Amino acid sequence: MDQGQLMRSARFRKEREADWKRLERLVTEAETHGIQHMSFAAARDLSALYRQATTALAIAREVSLDKALLEYLEALTARAYLSVYAPQERVGGVLRRFFAQSAPRAMRRSWPFILAAYLCLGLGVFVGYLLYQESTGWYHVFMPSGLAGGRGPEATTEFLRRALYDEAPDKSALGAFATFLFSHNTQVAFLVFGLGVFLCVPAILLTVQNGLSLGAFFALYVDRGLGVDLAAWLSVHGVTELSAICVACAGGLQLGWAVLFPGDRTRRDALRHAGRDAAKLAIVAAAMLLVAAVLEGFARQLIQQPETRFALGWGVGLLWLAWVVLAGRSPR
């Protein structure tokens, strides 16, 4: 660099150095305490000085000033950019905004798909119940042996009753059981969600299949005069768990619908658009499954009275419904 360039660089720096130092102090303050804790005047100066620094950097590059000056300005403007434009919200704030606004709004927008998912499940329960009444052999067709746990047409009524009213549950075993069920149900939910993109059909079939298992299981207990007891036992976790599977299925149906009927968009754009709400539904389903696992692993066996089981399960269900209907609405 010749003498003239050095003099121009020195003059350039001298004319603006005070503002750069001021910007550097403000950036340090923003990095340390967060811009939300800065005064209005300081935040305003930070933004204004950042724009001045970027202008100075552009000029410095244009007139080829010295390398050290360019590197200093590039580092300073990069830090200032992050302070001004990077998300300031913490993880807790993101989660709060998601569950208070984004998720319930996505649930309301997706109500036709959620309704369709409930209908698929209900159809499966109805058919499973009727087929068991025709022949108990259907039970082993619909019910996975791992979930049956010895509860089948060959079991005695007393054995079935004891499974509903275990008066001395092992808490450690219940914890392991909750973990197993959470893993199993999460796999089911994410399968119906992920398979929905394939023109909706696999998600519908899988949801109906879950309904078939439930219908056959219920028919078994009704035959032994334990229908109300089973309904109470299932209510504790089933209201939340089955709703979670329906919500996940609705997300999958939404994706499949976008592929089948993209409208004015390309299929890729339609899928991307539908994926925004579908992904939120999948996250909600995962949260519901977590709650259901806790209820299933502990409350279901620790609470023995059918009335209390009904009240707890459907009470939690009403809370979910109130959240979907009321949360995230803009004040009029």
Side-chain angles (χ1 to χ4, degrees):
M1 179 176 288
D2 60 24
Q3 193 64 24
Q5 285 178 311
L6 287 174
M7 291 181 65
R8 282 200 303 276
S9 292
R11 189 167 58 248
F12 187 86
R13 178 191 292 269
K14 184 177 181 182
E15 290 171 352
R16 297 168 176 81
E17 194 164 24
D19 288 340
W20 298 344
K21 293 297 182 188
R22 165 72 172 155
L23 176 60
E24 199 170 347
R25 288 194 294 275
L26 291 173
V27 168
T28 301
E29 183 180 348
E31 290 173 341
T32 305
H33 304 292
I35 196 171
Q36 67 272 24
H37 296 297
M38 296 173 67
S39 67
F40 171 76
R44 178 197 58 200
D45 291 349
L46 172 62
S47 179
L49 291 171
Y50 162 69
R51 289 193 294 272
Q52 291 177 18
T54 56
T55 302
L57 176 60
I59 296 171
R61 285 173 173 163
E62 185 68 25
V63 298
S64 301
L65 296 181
D66 70 272
K67 185 178 177 182
L69 178 62
L70 288 174
E71 290 176 349
Y72 169 75
L73 281 176
E74 286 171 350
L76 180 59
T77 52
R79 290 175 59 201
Y81 174 84
L82 292 175
S83 299
V84 173
Y85 294 109
Q88 302 296 318
E89 201 168 8
R90 296 177 184 276
V91 173
V94 173
L95 290 175
R96 185 167 51 252
R97 184 159 49 84
F98 176 79
F99 284 104
Q101 298 178 7
S102 304
R105 289 173 181 169
M107 294 279 285
R108 289 196 289 272
R109 285 192 296 267
S110 307
W111 73 265
F113 300 101
I114 295 175
L115 177 61
Y118 273 108
L119 290 176
C120 290
L121 184 71
L123 175 65
V125 171
F126 181 67
V127 174
Y129 185 90
L130 291 183
L131 288 177
Y132 181 90
Q133 297 295 336
E134 288 290 325
S135 169
T136 56
W138 285 104
Y139 183 87
H140 296 294
V141 176
F142 300 142
M143 177 62 70
S145 58
L147 284 180
R151 295 166 295 187
E154 66 283 351
T156 65
T157 301
E158 186 55 31
F159 175 82
L160 296 176
R161 185 189 298 278
R162 280 204 309 272
L164 300 179
Y165 298 104
D166 185 357
E167 294 181 354
D170 183 343
K171 293 183 179 179
S172 61
L174 291 180
F177 187 52
T179 303
F180 165 75
L181 288 171
F182 175 69
S183 173
H184 173 268
N185 295 331
T186 300
Q187 288 176 19
V188 171
F190 280 91
L191 268 178
V192 298
F193 173 77
L195 293 176
V197 74
F198 298 109
L199 310 181
C200 302
V201 175
I204 291 174
L205 293 179
L206 195 53
T207 305
V208 171
Q209 192 274 331
N210 273 274
L212 290 170
S213 303
L214 180 60
F217 191 65
F218 192 69
L220 166 67
Y221 275 78
V222 169
D223 265 5
R224 306 298 179 88
L226 297 170
V228 174
D229 303 270
L230 176 67
W233 185 77
L234 282 174
S235 292
V236 175
H237 73 285
V239 175
T240 297
E241 180 185 281
L242 296 175
S243 296
I245 292 175
C246 288
V247 168
C249 177
L253 294 179
Q254 207 163 1
L255 296 175
W257 193 264
V259 174
L260 283 172
F261 305 103
D264 296 332
R265 298 185 173 94
T266 64
R267 281 192 165 78
R268 187 173 185 176
D269 289 343
L271 191 59
R272 184 185 301 118
H273 180 76
R276 295 171 187 166
D277 278 352
K280 291 170 186 169
L281 263 60
I283 295 172
V284 170
M288 294 178 76
L289 285 171
L290 186 60
V291 173
V294 174
L295 291 171
E296 189 166 19
F298 297 95
R300 190 176 67 179
Q301 293 301 110
L302 296 175
I303 298 173
Q304 297 294 314
Q305 299 78 15
E307 299 81 4
T308 308
R309 287 175 170 177
F310 274 123
L312 175 62
W314 289 99
V316 173
L318 285 175
L319 289 177
W320 286 115
L321 181 62
W323 171 70
V324 171
V325 173
L326 301 175
R329 292 190 180 277
S330 302
R332 296 182 178 176

